Amino acid sequence: FFAEREIARLPGLPKDIETPEIKSMAVVGAGTMGGGIAMSYADAGIPVKLMDATPEALENGMERIRANYAKSVARGSLTQDEMDERLARIVPIPGYDDIGNCDAVTEAAFERMPVKKEIFTELDRVMKPGALLFTNTSALDIDEIASATERPEVVAGTHSFVPANVMKLFEVVKAEKTSRETLAAAMKLGREIGKISGFAGNCDGFGQCKHTCASCS
């Protein structure tokens, strides 16, 4: 109980800070992790656009999502109507140009820095002004990922655990230039999708922040 309360604290964050609203999401990467993340958003009533590098990978991802929901229906933890409603919120789309109007995007691609940076270069190109750019990386340097954009202040880590639609911890990771508004929005997003939002620093293992307290606040 006390650990959950402690990790939810953001150092130096004003209580009246204006938080960007996230009413629509995009997820880049339809693998096991990306599909689970998309399900987490859809389960919370947030419409999601899901994309992947190839049509085959995207269809495989959608099939995995359908199968996961079908298992819940078979167990009795979800009705068929609820499954249909949630599935309808996840829209597979062919490419980056179809996600530009989303309020935020979560990248959930392979854990390779060149892949991440290529994706964030594209996100910087297509996403509308003010959109938040999140990465699900579990270990890579978010400062380096953010360097692929012209707006590093809206880049943060939002690290889920496998299976993302089940596991509760939602690590919100601050990069050097991440704004307080972006952090607040990410922490709020985690709570809205039923997760335990935990603030972490951009270092090995995403633990204690490598920056000074003044920088974090």
Side-chain angles (χ1 to χ4, degrees):
F1 172 77
F2 291 109
E4 289 178 9
R5 293 187 65 180
E6 185 62 29
I7 63 170
R9 300 179 188 277
L10 282 173
L13 191 70
K15 292 183 179 181
D16 59 348
I17 190 169
E18 186 173 342
T19 305
E21 287 195 51
I22 300 176
K23 295 183 178 179
S24 59
M25 288 291 308
V27 175
V28 178
T32 300
M33 180 59 80
I37 292 171
M39 290 176 69
S40 295
Y41 296 141
D43 292 348
I46 301 173
V48 188
K49 292 182 178 180
L50 181 64
M51 62 167 287
D52 209 312
T54 66
E56 294 78 15
L58 182 58
E59 180 53 33
N60 288 339
M62 289 301 300
E63 283 297 326
R64 190 180 301 110
I65 290 170
R66 294 184 192 104
N68 285 336
Y69 276 133
K71 289 178 184 177
S72 296
V73 173
R75 288 195 303 264
S77 58
L78 203 67
T79 67
Q80 185 63 51
D81 286 345
E82 288 171 330
M83 171 180 167
D84 294 341
E85 288 175 2
R86 296 178 189 197
L87 265 177
R89 296 186 188 116
I90 303 174
V91 179
I93 51 95
Y96 288 100
D97 290 333
D98 296 294
I99 68 173
N101 286 327
C102 292
D103 295 328
V105 55
T106 301
E107 168 273 314
F110 292 114
E111 284 288 279
R112 298 289 185 271
M113 183 60 77
V115 174
K116 304 282 191 187
K117 293 180 76 171
E118 181 179 350
I119 290 172
F120 271 78
T121 297
E122 287 298 299
L123 295 180
D124 194 46
R125 177 181 69 84
V126 302
M127 298 303 292
K128 68 182 181 181
L132 304 178
L133 314 182
F134 298 140
T135 174
N136 182 64
T137 183
S138 60
L140 298 180
D141 185 355
I142 299 176
D143 287 330
E144 186 172 351
I145 294 173
S147 72
T149 79
E150 296 295 326
R151 36 178 157 175
E153 71 280 357
V154 299
V155 178
T158 53
H159 176 219
S160 299
F161 294 79
V162 180
N165 55 307
V166 175
M167 301 297 283
K168 287 293 186 180
L169 182 57
F170 186 80
E171 283 186 314
V172 174
V173 188
K174 180 187 185 301
E176 183 176 8
K177 296 182 180 179
T178 307
S179 72
R180 295 184 297 180
E181 291 78 9
T182 299
L183 287 175
M187 294 288 282
K188 181 180 178 183
L189 174 65
R191 293 190 296 270
E192 288 179 343
I193 63 174
K195 307 295 185 183
I196 299 169
S197 294
F199 174 62
N202 182 32
C203 60
D204 291 341
F206 295 150
Q208 183 174 344
C209 187
K210 71 181 181 180
H211 308 302
T212 65
C213 292
S215 175
C216 284
S217 61

